[in-house]
Amino acid sequence: MKRFSLLLASAAAMIAAPLAAETIAITGGKLVIGDGSAPIEGGTVVISNDRVVAAGANVSIPSNARRIDATGKWVTPGVFAGFSRIGLVEVGAVSQTNDMNASGSPFSAALDVQYAINPFASAVAVNRAAGVTRAVVSPSTSGSIFGGYGAIVDLGQDEDAITQARSFQFVELGETGHSRAGGSRSASHVQFRAMLEEARTYARNPAAFDSDLLKASDAKALLPVINGSTKLLVHVESANDILKVLDLREDFPALKMILVGVNEGWRVAGHIAAAGVPVLASALSDLPYGFEDLAATQSNIGRMKAAGVKVAIGMINDRDAHQLRYSTQYAGNLVALNKVPRATGLSWNEAFAAISSVPAEIMGVGGKLGSLKSGRQADVVIWDGDPLELSTQVENVLIDGVEQSLSNRQIRLRDRYRNPAPGALPKAYDY
């Protein structure tokens, strides 16, 4: 009996595990490179192991390649979620399953989400089945304006989710930031400058470091932010706050800032573009949720793009732990916005790039991820139609050249209870 159980467990593991990478040619589909260029009719993608070898028209196919016929379908890079908390939360209201922040910890900038990300969280499989293959995962904040290190992850069907650990630091400098710092924006900016200055003090003499504001480990974690070797994601929404954040680089010129949220970015888009600071923007904000985004408009991303801002779609505080799959819907909304009088949206090519190559470029991994250019990681999705249309379904997902299961808990529950037979329900349903 024991041997039989082991065989069953082994068989189940083989079913659950993705197949190994191989040489694959995906042919005949409407091919989207993801870099903002127009789709290619009847295109081909050749994958060898975990990389894209070639993608385009009239591509030579190796004789040993396994062919996937995508005729009548769309072939794109996987969706790259520009901002999320996926893998950090299972049930938001249950503290034991919520690792977004550490409200009881004495540490802030030293916190690191790579130790908390759960690749087996139910939201990972759900979003993978919707074509999301990579994501930026950020901590939230609690006792400090700094939340700690964030990471870039893949949504692959294995236990190793981390693509790039310690990819950035996250800081709150809007309404949330001022509440963390003591109740005013003045306090949050003073705290920001003071924490970075304390980090400089630590750098000069770590052994003698003594601070009431920062733990030594937090000061050490901020050093790469000061010297520009680690990006700094700054959550800010109002136009005034955006301008004040841009001014911070006068004191800390090496900062490599990325603005997140930015609901009123259109009002100061020229300043953002002139500063060369990229943006991971909320895409569906068209009504004010607070005083810091009274000028929210769905035209925000289109107007910033038109002003020369490098902008991608992010989902901060917008179902960001569970519904990254909304990225395609949001991108599609920006395309449809062009049909609304006096509104400003994106072209189809720009919109898809805003959920693929552009967020990868903003995060510094555009040479590896986010498109189907030669040499990129082979994250590929085959769709039965236009991926920015709500009715479209995902048919195949490859991450690092490995085909992934599209099964997930939601699908299994749907199938189990869609057509229940009389008497077959669990006792809890039997009245």
Side-chain angles (χ1 to χ4, degrees):
M1 189 64 162
K2 182 177 181 181
R3 182 182 178 187
F4 180 69
S5 299
L6 289 172
L7 287 172
L8 282 178
S10 177
M14 291 175 66
I15 293 171
L19 299 174
E22 56 185 325
T23 300
I24 299 172
I26 304 172
T27 63
K30 191 167 186 175
L31 174 62
V32 178
I33 302 298
D35 59 355
S37 59
I40 301 167
E41 295 288 350
T44 295
V45 181
V46 176
I47 299 164
S48 182
N49 294 319
D50 62 345
R51 304 279 174 157
V52 174
V53 175
N58 303 315
V59 169
S60 178
I61 300 174
S63 60
N64 66 332
R66 178 169 68 88
R67 296 191 182 217
I68 298 176
D69 184 8
T71 302
K73 302 169 185 178
W74 290 60
V75 180
T76 74
V79 173
F80 190 115
F83 189 94
S84 81
R85 269 84 187 227
I86 194 164
L88 296 179
V89 182
E90 188 67 51
V91 181
V94 179
S95 61
Q96 293 89 340
T97 73
N98 189 333
D99 287 304
M100 284 201 309
N101 59 51
S103 58
S105 173
F107 301 102
S108 56
L111 298 172
D112 190 341
V113 298
Q114 69 171 308
Y115 303 113
I117 293 170
N118 177 14
F120 307 108
S122 59
V124 172
V126 170
N127 285 280
R128 179 175 65 236
V132 182
T133 58
R134 304 275 168 171
V136 174
V137 181
S138 174
S140 184
T141 61
S142 52
S144 169
I145 59 172
F146 278 93
Y149 284 113
I152 298 172
V153 305
D154 72 71
L155 275 66
Q157 193 184 349
D158 58 66
E159 69 280 359
D160 185 12
I162 306 299
T163 299
Q164 186 179 90
R166 300 191 173 192
S167 180
F168 60 91
Q169 273 281 340
F170 177 72
V171 65
E172 288 275 7
L173 284 178
E175 285 184 2
T176 302
H178 89 238
S179 67
R180 299 282 188 264
S184 80
R185 286 170 171 80
S186 297
S188 66
H189 281 256
V190 168
Q191 185 174 345
F192 179 85
R193 286 183 167 89
M195 291 177 78
L196 295 192
E197 289 292 352
E198 290 287 75
R200 283 176 172 169
T201 300
Y202 171 86
R204 288 192 288 268
N205 190 351
F209 183 74
D210 184 22
S211 170
D212 294 330
L213 183 62
L214 277 182
K215 297 283 187 182
S217 55
D218 293 324
K220 183 178 180 181
L222 290 175
L223 292 180
V225 173
I226 296 171
N227 65 31
S229 60
T230 293
K231 299 181 188 306
L232 180 64
L233 269 59
V234 185
H235 181 205
V236 65
E237 301 287 0
S238 77
N240 181 55
D241 286 340
I242 293 166
L243 293 177
K244 296 300 187 291
V245 165
L246 295 178
D247 288 344
L248 290 171
R249 295 204 307 179
E250 294 180 7
D251 296 330
F252 304 96
L255 290 180
K256 290 186 177 177
M257 291 194 298
I258 298 169
L259 303 183
V260 178
V262 198
N263 278 334
E264 291 191 349
W266 66 273
R267 299 184 70 179
V268 291
H271 293 275
I272 301 172
V277 175
V279 172
L280 299 171
S282 301
L284 198 60
S285 298
D286 57 357
L287 293 172
Y289 288 95
F291 287 103
E292 65 180 350
D293 51 9
L294 290 174
T297 170
Q298 208 169 355
S299 291
N300 184 39
I301 287 179
R303 291 176 183 176
M304 286 194 288
K305 179 75 166 58
V309 178
K310 193 176 189 69
V311 56
I313 292 175
M315 292 183 65
I316 188 166
N317 299 333
D318 178 18
R319 306 174 184 88
D320 53 25
H322 296 96
Q323 303 294 0
L324 282 59
R325 57 184 177 163
Y326 290 174
S327 297
T328 51
Q329 176 184 343
Y330 291 174
N333 287 350
L334 294 178
V335 178
L337 205 60
N338 291 312
K339 298 180 180 180
V340 178
R342 301 182 65 182
T344 305
L346 299 178
S347 70
W348 194 99
N349 301 331
E350 292 170 335
F352 196 87
I355 57 172
S356 55
S357 63
V358 179
E361 291 166 4
I362 287 174
M363 296 308 301
V365 292
K368 300 178 181 178
L369 301 166
S371 74
L372 296 183
K373 291 182 178 180
S374 178
R376 304 309 192 268
Q377 295 295 121
D379 294 357
V380 188
V381 180
I382 302 175
W383 315 73
D384 65 8
D386 182 341
L388 303 189
E389 292 289 339
L390 283 176
S391 59
T392 297
Q393 299 296 311
V394 170
E395 294 199 351
N396 297 78
V397 174
L398 290 84
I399 298 178
D400 290 329
V402 178
E403 285 195 77
Q404 305 289 319
S405 170
L406 301 185
S407 178
N408 58 68
R409 184 171 180 270
Q410 288 187 356
I411 289 173
R412 292 191 294 273
L413 286 171
R414 179 203 67 189
D415 292 345
R416 181 177 181 181
Y417 294 112
R418 180 162 50 186
N419 297 303
L425 292 174
K427 286 294 183 183
Y429 295 85
D430 187 6
Y431 293 100

